[in-house]
Amino acid sequence: LSMCSKLCYAIGGAPNQVAGSAASFFLQIYLLDIAHITPFHASLVLFIGKATGAVTDPVAGFFISKSRWTKIGRLMPWVLACTPFTIVSYFFMWYLPPFVSGRVAWYLTFYCLFQALTTLFQVPYSALTMFLSTDQRDRDSATAYRMTMEVLGTLIGAALQGQIVASAHVSPHCTVNLSVNTTDSWHDTPTIPDPSDALSHQVIYMIAAGVIAGVYLLGTVVLFLGVKERDDPYALNSDRAIPFCKGLALTMKHGPYVKLTASFLLISTAVQLEQGNFVLFCTHAAGLRNHFQYLVVTILVSAVVSVPFWQKFLQRFGKKCAACGISWMIPFAVMLVTIPNLILAYFVAFVSGLSIAASLLLPWSMLPDVVDNFRLQNPHGKGHETIFYSSYVFFTKMSAGIGLGISAAGLEFTGYKPGICRQSDDVILTLKLLIGAVPAILILLGLFILLFYPITEESRKETKLALEELR
């Protein structure tokens, strides 16, 4: 597999991460502080949107598995067809409608559409890994290229969005270091939004959405022109496609897949909680209102530069051993919560980037091994790759949606009020728990489950030899 093909494949997945990163870091604070909808309604938008994307995964897997081979492949037509609609839904997701009463329905509609359409893009795109090459090293290398570009896309999305919209979240009447002895009226009374400010904030978010929509279009064009999809290399002419429902039942009984999915379901939920609440934590709980965009960039730059390191690490020491790096963020996140210091915040951001890179690279590097293992146990079936990928994305999205929904509902319960300089002590405590304690528990549980993952480096080599014999 040529370097050009790997690079084009990697670039194709970056726009999804650019848009997803902007939404992960900024949508919650946008809904609360710009659109001025309640935390409860924001939690509904986030949870139902993620749930919609999750439900779309098995549906997408079903229809893609039924697709016939075309001149440009079986998966590529899905990627191309959904891109323009994804761009439109993303753009309107950041639009501030002139009416107030129907804003919740507006954001719910377009966020659900965006999640569903990105699923229709992500499932065939991620399954394309299995149809680039038959060699495990080639696929691992392509996955490393892809994850480097996707983390870079996450960086670009957060940096673009952060730098463009930062001015919309800086209140000139709020000081960086707030006095403890604040009056109750100033502490609890929301500021009345100026209509001219609302208009300028809308323009700022529209500019950011337009820039990211352009990145989406460019990435898809590069993917189409630079990647050639191959048909199933192991299938015989006599082999039949596994029916979707039967294939789903088989995957749910496949031990390595169940353990891998359960582990990274918890870990990805922890990362989503960190992403979704980090800007709110910096703004309201850590006194870092004017630094959050730079801290986000620090996290993602660290993640980008560490993906090649993790790729070399897992090649030398094994994929299960590399999972220990995910736990690095736990002590530093707890330190940031207990000692909200600026220098410590940047150090925590750097270490968190290392852990996030490991959590992003490992599951997508391990999933092809699981698919190969399944292929060896079911040698005369084909078309199961999209079932694995779609159901994996389903579980991770559903868990992330539940996590974000619960976190936003927790802010509502503790009395979060948009537009005020200092939130109540209960809200600040909730944000500290969502950044420190809850992700730490989820990561530790996920790593404990991963201890029982049965595919080792030795068994991977045995599977490779057996599949070569099958070919």
Side-chain angles (χ1 to χ4, degrees):
L1 195 63
S2 70
M3 183 181 293
C4 180
S5 293
K6 295 176 189 176
L7 195 57
C8 290
Y9 173 65
I11 290 172
N16 231 15
Q17 301 305 313
V18 172
S21 169
S24 293
F25 278 109
F26 292 96
L27 184 60
Q28 180 161 279
I29 197 169
Y30 169 82
L31 294 175
L32 294 173
D33 288 359
I34 305 299
H36 292 285
I37 68 175
T38 67
F40 174 72
H41 287 132
S43 70
L44 282 181
V45 171
L46 293 171
F47 171 70
I48 296 175
K50 287 284 187 183
T52 301
V55 170
T56 309
D57 282 298
V59 176
F62 173 79
F63 284 108
I64 293 169
S65 66
K66 298 290 184 182
S67 301
R68 293 185 177 182
W69 184 265
T70 68
K71 291 182 179 179
I72 59 173
R74 186 163 58 93
L75 303 174
M76 193 69 76
W78 287 87
V79 173
L80 297 178
C82 67
T83 296
F85 299 103
T86 307
I87 291 171
V88 172
S89 64
Y90 179 81
F91 187 80
F92 282 108
M93 192 175 78
W94 299 100
Y95 177 71
L96 189 66
F99 47 84
V100 177
S101 59
R103 280 184 184 175
V104 176
W106 175 277
Y107 291 115
L108 183 60
T109 299
F110 284 104
Y111 187 54
C112 288
L113 276 173
F114 173 70
Q115 288 292 333
L117 289 164
T118 52
T119 294
L120 290 175
F121 180 100
Q122 188 67 22
V123 169
Y125 171 77
S126 55
L128 194 59
T129 309
M130 301 301 298
F131 300 96
L132 296 176
S133 172
T134 58
D135 188 79
Q136 286 183 351
R137 278 188 167 273
D138 267 350
R139 291 202 305 256
D140 285 349
S141 178
T143 300
Y145 271 80
R146 171 192 159 196
M147 296 318 301
T148 303
M149 288 304 300
E150 287 195 356
V151 176
L152 183 61
T154 305
L155 167 62
I156 292 170
L160 277 175
Q161 191 86 356
Q163 295 301 319
I164 294 172
V165 309
S167 60
H169 299 287
V170 176
S171 301
H173 61 281
C174 293
T175 58
V176 178
N177 295 314
L178 296 167
S179 171
V180 177
N181 297 319
T182 55
T183 62
D184 289 340
S185 59
W186 183 71
H187 182 285
D188 292 327
T189 306
T191 55
I192 300 171
D194 188 339
S196 62
D197 285 345
L199 182 61
S200 65
H201 295 164
Q202 176 185 340
V203 171
I204 288 169
Y205 270 95
M206 287 291 93
I207 292 171
V211 171
I212 291 176
V215 172
Y216 229 115
L217 190 60
L218 179 64
T220 305
V221 170
V222 171
L223 176 68
F224 174 67
L225 295 178
V227 174
K228 183 179 180 182
E229 180 183 345
R230 302 178 182 181
D231 205 354
D232 190 338
Y234 297 114
L236 303 173
N237 291 332
S238 59
D239 290 348
R240 293 187 177 184
I242 299 175
F244 183 82
C245 293
K246 180 183 177 182
L248 190 61
L250 288 173
T251 58
M252 293 302 103
K253 295 175 183 176
H254 193 59
Y257 180 70
V258 172
K259 293 179 177 67
L260 179 70
T261 303
S263 172
F264 282 97
L265 181 150
L266 295 169
I267 292 169
S268 65
T269 303
V271 173
Q272 285 284 334
L273 284 173
E274 291 274 358
Q275 282 187 327
N277 294 285
F278 187 76
V279 175
L280 282 170
F281 172 79
C282 291
T283 303
H284 298 297
L288 302 171
R289 183 184 295 270
N290 295 326
H291 294 273
F292 71 80
Q293 67 268 38
Y294 306 113
L295 289 167
V296 168
V297 169
T298 302
I299 291 173
L300 297 172
V301 167
S302 170
V304 170
V305 298
S306 61
V307 168
F309 162 76
W310 286 119
Q311 176 64 13
K312 294 292 184 183
F313 187 95
L314 64 86
Q315 284 179 346
R316 181 165 184 178
F317 299 103
K319 297 179 181 181
K320 285 180 69 172
C321 186
C324 66
I326 300 171
S327 64
W328 292 356
M329 74 166 73
I330 295 174
F332 296 101
V334 172
M335 286 172 63
L336 178 62
V337 167
T338 54
I339 314 168
N341 177 274
L342 180 60
I343 296 174
L344 178 62
Y346 277 100
F347 188 65
V348 170
F350 175 77
V351 176
S352 296
L354 297 176
S355 295
I356 288 171
S359 71
L360 291 173
L361 175 63
L362 280 172
W364 295 111
S365 181
M366 297 165 88
L367 196 54
D369 302 335
V370 173
V371 176
D372 280 347
N373 183 271
F374 181 85
R375 157 68 78 179
L376 198 59
Q377 295 181 21
N378 301 271
H380 296 294
K382 63 179 182 178
H384 54 275
E385 294 84 2
T386 52
I387 300 173
F388 273 97
Y389 280 86
S390 62
S391 54
Y392 175 78
V393 179
F394 165 78
F395 288 118
T396 52
K397 278 188 178 179
M398 182 62 78
S399 66
I402 293 171
L404 289 174
I406 291 173
S407 71
L411 293 175
E412 166 81 11
F413 179 76
T414 52
Y416 180 91
K417 294 180 181 178
I420 66 174
C421 295
R422 180 178 168 82
Q423 298 290 338
S424 68
D425 291 339
D426 289 340
V427 171
I428 292 172
L429 177 61
T430 301
L431 288 170
K432 288 181 177 180
L433 290 173
L434 292 172
I435 287 292
V438 177
I441 293 169
L442 292 174
I443 289 171
L444 291 174
L445 286 173
L447 292 176
F448 177 74
I449 294 172
L450 198 61
L451 289 174
F452 302 97
Y453 176 71
I455 297 178
T456 62
E457 296 306 302
E458 193 63 34
S459 66
R460 282 181 66 219
K461 293 176 183 177
E462 293 172 1
T463 300
K464 178 183 178 182
L465 290 173
L467 287 176
E468 288 300 323
E469 184 66 26
L470 182 66
R471 284 187 71 206

